[in-house]
C-alpha cells in the first residue's frame, strides 16, 4: 500500500496544471470573509462526520474520531456541542490566519468521465488484492507514528455579493501524523491550519488507527459485515447503505496504514458491495493516470473513485466526480481529489521521512 510519489510528464498535467501552477492573488476587500465562510463550511462538514455514540443495546464499538477536514458527507451530524466548540475554537485560532493566503481558489476542476464496467470490478479487485498481498510492510511500534503526506483539493460554491460560482481550491499539501492507538497526532494543512498545524489528540481513537485496524477480521465476508455494522451506526440516513460501506473502506485506504494482512481483505470485501465498478481511466490529484474502482452515489450523482497504478496496482489516491444530474455541479466536475505522495513509519511527531532531525 505504499504510494511512491512520481512526477508525471507534462503531457499528463492537463487536468491538474491549473491547480499546480496557480499563483497566489492579493485579497480584495471582503475576501477574508468569504474564506472564513468556506472554513466554517468545512468545520460544519467535519462536525457532520463525527461519530455518534451507539444506542445502549447496539453491538457497535465505541465511537471513533474522523479525519479533520477531509471531505466526507456520509455520516450523521454530531450531537456533542462541546466538541463543536472545541473544533470551531481550535480551527478559528490556529487556521484562520492562513486560510486566506495559503489556498487560492481557481476555476472548477473538471475531467473526462471514465467508462464504467460492472463486470470488470471483481477481476480488477482480485489483481489489486494479489498485489497488496505481496507488499512488504514495516512493523509499527507503540512509540512510533504513522506519517501520510498527500496533495488535496476540493470544489465548492463560492458566493460573492449576489453571485455564486463553482471554484476549486489550489492543490495543496496535507501532512498527518498519527499514533498507532489513534489517540495522538498532528495535522499540517495550509489553508486549514496555521503553519505549525494543529493537534489531533483526543480521548477516542481515530477510525483509521493502526491498532484498531489490526483487530478487524481478515476474512472478507466477516470484514464486510463489520464495515456495514459500523457504518450503519453512524451514516446519514439519506446516504445509501452500500455507498456508506464503500466510502468507509476508501477511508482506510487513504490516511491510514492498514496492517499487511488486512489490506487484501479490504479489496476483497469491496468486491462484494453491490454497484462497484471498474473505470478504465482516472487521474489523481498530481496528474498520475490509473485505473479505478468506483461506486456511484445514486442520491447525488457523485462517483467515488479509488485510483491505482495500471501496472503495479499500487494505490495512488481517490477522487469524487460528478457523473449524474446535480443542482450544484456540472457533469465532469471533480468535487474532491487526494493523491497520496508518501506513507511511512517515523519515530517522532512531526518527523518527516528523509529530513534531518
Amino acid at each position: 500500500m505504499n504510494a511512491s510519489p512520481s512526477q508525471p510528464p507534462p503531457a499528463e498535467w492537463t487536468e491538474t496544471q491549473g491547480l499546480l501552477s496557480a499563483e497566489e492573488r492579493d485579497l480584495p476587500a471582503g475576501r477574508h470573509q468569504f474564506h472564513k465562510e468556506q472554513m466554517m463550511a468545512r468545520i460544519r462538514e467535519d462536525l457532520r462526520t463525527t461519530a455518534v455514540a451507539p444506542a445502549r443495546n447496539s453491538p457497535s464499538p465505541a465511537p471513533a474520531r474522523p479525519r479533520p477536514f477531509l471531505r466526507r458527507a456520509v455520516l450523521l451530524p454530531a450531537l456533542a456541542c462541546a466538541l463543536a466548540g472545541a473544533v470551531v475554537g481550535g480551527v478559528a485560532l490556529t487556521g484562520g490566519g492562513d486560510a486566506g493566503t495559503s489556498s487560492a481558489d481557481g476555476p472548477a476542476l473538471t475531467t473526462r468521465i471514465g467508462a464504467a464496467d460492472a463486470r470488470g470490478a471483481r477481476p480488477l479487485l482480485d489483481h489489486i488484492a494479489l498485489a497488496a498481498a505481496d507488499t512488504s510492510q514495516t512493523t509499527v511500534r507503540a512509540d512510533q507514528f504513522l506519517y501520510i503526506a498527500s496533495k488535496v483539493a476540493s470544489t465548492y460554491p463560492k458566493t460573492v455579493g449576489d453571485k455564486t460560482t463553482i471554484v476549486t481550491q489550489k492543490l495543496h499539501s496535507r501532512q498527518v501524523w498519527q499514533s498507532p492507538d489513534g489517540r495522538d497526532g498532528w495535522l499540517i494543512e495550509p489553508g486549514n491550519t496555521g503553519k505549525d498545524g494543529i493537534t489531533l489528540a483526543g480521548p477516542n481513537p481515530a477510525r483509521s488507527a493502526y491498532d484498531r485496524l489490526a483487530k478487524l477480521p481478515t476474512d472478507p465476508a466477516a470484514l464486510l459485515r463489520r464495515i456495514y455494522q459500523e457504518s450503519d451506526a453512524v451514516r446519514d440516513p439519506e446516504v445509501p447503505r452500500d455507498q456508506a460501506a464503500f466510502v468507509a473502506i476508501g477511508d482506510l485506504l487513504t490516511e491510514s496504514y492498514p496492517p499487511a494482512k488486512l489490506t487484501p481483505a479490504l479489496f476483497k470485501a469491496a468486491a462484494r458491495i453491490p454497484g462497484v465498478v471498474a473505470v478504465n481511466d482516472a487521474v489523481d490529484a498530481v496528474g498520475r493516470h490509473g485505473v479505478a474502482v468506483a461506486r456511484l452515489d445514486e442520491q447525488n450523482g457523485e462517483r467515488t473513485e479509488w485510483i491505482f497504478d495500471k501496472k503495479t496496482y499500487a494505490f495512488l489516491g481517490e477522487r469524487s466526480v460528478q457523473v449524474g444530474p446535480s443542482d450544484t455541479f456540472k457533469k465532469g466536475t471533480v468535487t474532491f481529489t487526494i493523491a497520496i505522495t508518501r506513507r511511512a513509519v517515523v519515530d517522532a511527531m512531526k518527523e518527516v521521512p528523509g529530513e534531518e532531525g
Side-chain angles (χ1 to χ4, degrees):
M1 287 300 300
N2 290 329
S4 301
S6 59
Q7 183 69 26
E12 295 185 1
W13 288 355
T14 54
E15 293 182 25
T16 55
Q17 59 186 359
L19 296 176
L20 291 168
S21 63
E23 297 181 357
E24 299 289 353
R25 300 186 295 272
D26 292 335
L27 292 177
R31 186 166 173 80
H32 284 289
Q33 179 62 29
F34 298 129
H35 274 281
K36 179 181 178 181
E37 292 174 356
Q38 177 189 352
M39 176 66 73
M40 293 305 297
R42 290 182 198 156
I43 293 170
R44 287 191 292 270
E45 180 65 18
D46 186 51
L47 293 175
R48 278 175 49 81
T49 61
T50 302
V52 187
R56 181 175 299 177
N57 296 326
S58 170
S60 301
R65 293 179 293 114
R67 299 165 299 163
F69 308 123
L70 268 189
R71 184 177 176 279
R72 278 290 173 263
V74 298
L75 304 178
L76 283 169
L79 298 182
C81 294
L83 174 61
V87 174
V88 173
V91 174
L93 291 174
T94 62
D98 281 357
T101 59
S102 298
S103 187
D105 305 320
L109 180 63
T110 60
T111 187
R112 182 184 66 83
I113 299 175
D117 178 9
R119 293 184 178 181
R122 186 176 289 272
L124 176 57
L125 282 163
D126 285 343
H127 286 301
I128 294 170
L130 285 173
D134 289 337
T135 302
S136 60
Q137 189 180 73
T138 303
T139 302
V140 184
R141 300 194 313 265
D143 62 339
Q144 292 181 309
F145 287 85
L146 306 171
Y147 171 81
I148 298 97
S150 60
K151 296 285 189 178
V152 301
S154 293
T155 300
Y156 67 99
K158 182 183 75 172
T159 301
V160 179
D162 59 356
K163 182 179 180 181
T164 298
T165 56
I166 305 300
V167 299
T168 298
Q169 296 172 309
K170 177 183 177 182
L171 190 70
H172 59 278
S173 298
R174 177 179 165 98
Q175 295 175 290
V176 172
W177 291 262
Q178 186 183 96
S179 62
D181 66 4
R183 297 179 187 275
D184 197 7
W186 200 261
L187 167 68
I188 298 177
E189 184 177 359
N192 281 341
T193 72
K195 64 178 182 179
D196 295 327
I198 60 173
T199 181
L200 298 181
N204 295 321
R207 293 193 186 99
S208 58
Y210 181 85
D211 291 351
R212 182 173 180 271
L213 300 185
K215 296 176 182 178
L216 292 176
T218 55
D219 173 75
L223 176 60
L224 186 58
R225 286 195 296 271
R226 174 72 69 84
I227 289 169
Y228 272 118
Q229 180 187 73
E230 294 186 359
S231 64
D232 283 348
V234 295
R235 69 180 173 89
D236 188 316
E238 294 183 0
V239 177
R241 185 171 187 254
D242 294 330
Q243 183 68 14
F246 184 80
V247 168
I249 293 177
D251 283 349
L252 304 185
L253 302 178
T254 49
E255 283 189 350
S256 70
Y257 194 84
K261 293 183 179 180
L262 178 65
T263 306
L266 287 170
F267 297 128
K268 293 178 180 179
R272 296 167 178 256
I273 298 176
V276 174
V277 300
V279 177
N280 62 346
D281 185 65
V283 186
D284 74 0
V286 296
R288 298 175 295 191
H289 283 260
V291 292
V293 174
R295 193 180 190 285
L296 174 66
D297 185 338
E298 302 90 345
Q299 296 296 106
N300 62 16
E302 188 176 84
R303 189 168 73 187
T304 300
E305 301 178 349
W306 307 336
I307 306 171
F308 300 86
D309 185 273
K310 291 183 178 181
K311 294 182 178 179
T312 66
Y313 297 115
F315 180 75
L316 301 179
E318 178 185 311
R319 70 177 183 177
S320 297
V321 180
Q322 193 69 41
V323 301
S326 169
D327 293 334
T328 304
F329 302 111
K330 295 180 179 179
K331 288 185 179 181
T333 300
V334 179
T335 59
F336 172 73
T337 182
I338 177 171
I340 304 300
T341 57
R342 188 70 188 270
R343 203 187 302 257
V345 179
V346 295
D347 293 327
M349 184 96 78
K350 302 184 190 178
E351 175 184 341
V352 177
E355 289 188 359
E356 295 293 335

